Amino acid sequence: MRFYLDSAQPEEIRSVADALFVAGVTTNPSLIQRAGTSRIGELLDAVVATRRRDWKLWFQLRRGTTAEILGEAQALSDALIERTGGLHAGPTLVFKLLPDWKGLIAASTLIRQGAEVCLTGIADPAQALALSVLPEISTDEGGALVTEGPPSSRNPHMPAALACYIGRNDDAGRDGTKVVLRINDLLVANNRRTRVLAASIRTPDKLNALVRRLSRRKVNVVDVTLSFEMLRDVVLDKVTHAAIGEFDALEEVPL
């Protein structure tokens, strides 16, 4: 399980840069707007300044035509390369897309180009299994999709991750934790390389319940994204802080 910071606040991003258990940042235009960040470039600057080349930056692309989605993805890639000097010289972009028809075509195109893609808002295990493999898109001729290559069952064309919002599932009367666990089990049973990003975890109890139930499985492909407060208060809890304080108080013993 990897932990990601869910934020668009540059100061929060900078403050977790030294926390090696944090694997990157997830964000979206709504978070950026609420954070008062005037432009996406400020967010990219904060992430690049951490010098964490191992990080992933998950960015939610807006809905639109396939061309508009691909254009936004290209603009983000260009902006990151401008700041790092190369495609692999900084953090990895993960493009989050909604699984409507245009989003799926864009996702398949981006996967073929070598980009990492996350299909987001997944709320059902069967939906997750269906979307864990996509056909390769060649062209769009006269309004009809053209796919190519062997069937996806023989040559898997997989998104990097599927994002499931635990809190939103709970709000809809489903057990969001169970949904994540069932998606995990289906992907593992069907030998998918796709991971599950558990998002919208609102309380420490929800996180602990998810971790406890995942620990009973031999294999899991679940990562989590948490708010800054959850990362600070749950991963480094009061007991850990107390232990750190005790060691800080120890006097140096001469050799």
Side-chain angles (χ1 to χ4, degrees):
M1 176 181 285
R2 292 179 288 236
F3 291 85
Y4 294 95
L5 169 67
D6 192 37
S7 176
Q9 296 278 5
E11 61 273 18
E12 292 180 354
I13 294 169
R14 287 190 291 266
S15 68
V16 302
D18 293 333
L20 295 182
F21 59 82
V22 177
V25 179
T26 65
T27 195
N28 59 63
S30 295
L31 276 178
I32 292 173
Q33 187 175 22
R34 289 201 298 271
T37 305
S38 61
R39 58 186 181 86
I40 294 173
E42 292 182 35
L43 179 71
L44 294 177
D45 290 339
V47 172
V48 171
T50 67
R51 303 179 67 85
R52 289 290 300 268
R53 295 183 183 181
D54 60 308
W55 268 16
K56 294 182 185 291
L57 173 59
W58 306 60
F59 194 91
Q60 177 73 54
L61 300 179
R62 290 167 293 184
R63 295 182 69 180
T65 66
T66 300
E68 288 170 342
I69 296 170
L70 293 174
E72 185 181 7
Q74 186 62 55
L76 280 167
S77 294
D78 291 344
L80 185 60
I81 291 171
E82 182 182 349
R83 287 163 170 79
T84 61
L87 185 61
H88 304 294
T92 301
L93 274 174
V94 183
F95 299 113
K96 298 172 66 180
L97 295 93
L98 293 168
D100 57 13
W101 303 127
K102 297 180 179 64
L104 290 176
I105 295 170
S108 184
T109 303
L110 288 168
I111 292 170
R112 185 180 181 188
Q113 293 172 356
E116 292 196 22
V117 166
C118 171
L119 298 176
T120 188
I122 306 303
D124 180 82
Q127 178 194 33
L129 186 61
L131 295 177
S132 64
V133 174
L134 298 173
E136 293 193 29
I137 303 298
S138 175
T139 55
D140 185 349
E141 297 179 359
L145 290 176
V146 177
T147 59
E148 62 178 34
S152 57
S153 58
R154 299 206 307 264
N155 184 25
H157 191 61
M158 298 181 187
L162 304 171
C164 180
Y165 295 94
I166 288 180
R168 293 184 192 176
N169 275 278
D170 290 342
D171 293 342
R174 300 166 173 161
D175 185 329
T177 303
K178 281 186 178 179
V179 173
V180 167
L181 293 170
R182 288 171 181 162
I183 292 174
N184 173 84
D185 295 347
L186 273 174
L187 296 180
V188 171
N190 286 274
N191 297 314
R192 300 292 196 255
R193 296 190 303 273
T194 303
R195 298 190 66 82
V196 184
L197 181 68
S200 186
I201 301 175
R202 297 168 179 165
T203 66
D205 288 344
K206 274 288 180 182
L207 175 62
N208 290 332
L210 176 64
V211 171
R212 184 172 62 252
R213 294 168 74 173
L214 281 172
S215 69
R216 300 170 188 162
R217 287 157 166 79
K218 291 183 178 180
V219 181
N220 83 76
V221 292
V222 176
D223 299 319
V224 298
T225 179
L226 302 170
S227 68
F228 177 74
E229 291 76 15
M230 287 275 285
L231 275 176
R232 180 190 59 196
D233 297 340
V234 175
V235 180
L236 283 177
D237 64 12
K238 294 179 180 178
V239 175
T240 306
H241 281 296
I244 292 172
E246 288 179 11
F247 281 100
D248 285 343
L250 292 178
E251 295 183 5
E252 182 180 355
V253 178
L255 289 174

